[in-house]
Amino acid sequence: TKASRDEDTIVTKNFRTAAAAAGVDPARLLFSDPVDWPKHVRRGALVDLFLDTTGYNAHSTGANSLWAGVPLLTLAGEKMAARVAAGMNRAAFASAYTARTLAEYEVLAVRIATRPAVSEPLRRRFAARRTDAPLFDTR
């Protein structure tokens, strides 16, 4: 049977356990039911920052996030699959969100998440140029 978002599944339990082990209040984790693409993108716009994975970057999900106006923090890796998000950031005029090292990624994530004086101007500048960005030029 399909679990509702109010029910814990084995996956949500594992995430909550991992969060608690890392010192994060499991109540901060929000899970939601699947929705259609337009609702998914609108819902994605509610977050402040998309933290990308290393090794294999966000692809279409990263593009959806950028289109929703959510900055995508990524680490440019060596292989193509680990550079996709860096290329999207460049094409979205958002290179400030591309780290060159794991240490820089961590510093940027913490700085952006904890200092609105840093994150808000970056996000406003990104949002103002988003519709002119080559990443979204569909002409």
Side-chain angles (χ1 to χ4, degrees):
T1 64
K2 182 179 175 263
S4 79
R5 84 176 115 173
D6 295 327
E7 290 180 42
D8 269 344
T9 65
I10 189 69
V11 173
T12 58
K13 287 177 185 176
N14 287 343
F15 271 108
R16 291 183 198 288
T17 299
V24 175
D25 179 1
R28 293 185 63 196
L29 299 181
L30 303 176
F31 300 94
S32 58
D33 294 327
V35 294
D36 62 25
W37 187 82
K39 287 179 185 175
H40 171 69
V41 172
R42 284 193 305 274
R43 179 172 65 190
L46 299 174
V47 301
D48 295 321
L49 182 65
F50 183 116
L51 296 174
D52 197 14
T53 58
T54 61
Y56 191 89
N57 290 167
H59 288 70
S60 58
T61 302
N64 290 344
S65 177
L66 289 167
W67 179 248
V70 177
L72 168 61
L73 181 60
T74 191
L75 172 63
E78 292 183 25
K79 298 187 181 202
M80 188 280 290
R83 292 191 310 268
V84 172
M88 287 192 298
N89 272 347
R90 183 180 173 132
F93 305 125
S95 290
Y97 292 100
T98 300
R100 293 176 296 280
T101 67
L102 193 54
E104 182 183 14
Y105 178 93
E106 184 176 344
V107 166
L108 282 170
V110 171
R111 185 179 298 145
I112 291 166
T114 60
R115 297 187 187 157
V118 171
S119 63
E120 287 306 314
L122 282 172
R123 189 167 177 149
R124 277 195 305 274
R125 187 170 66 229
F126 166 67
R129 299 190 69 197
R130 179 180 56 115
T131 56
D132 298 326
L135 181 63
F136 301 116
D137 184 356
T138 59
R139 291 175 275 158

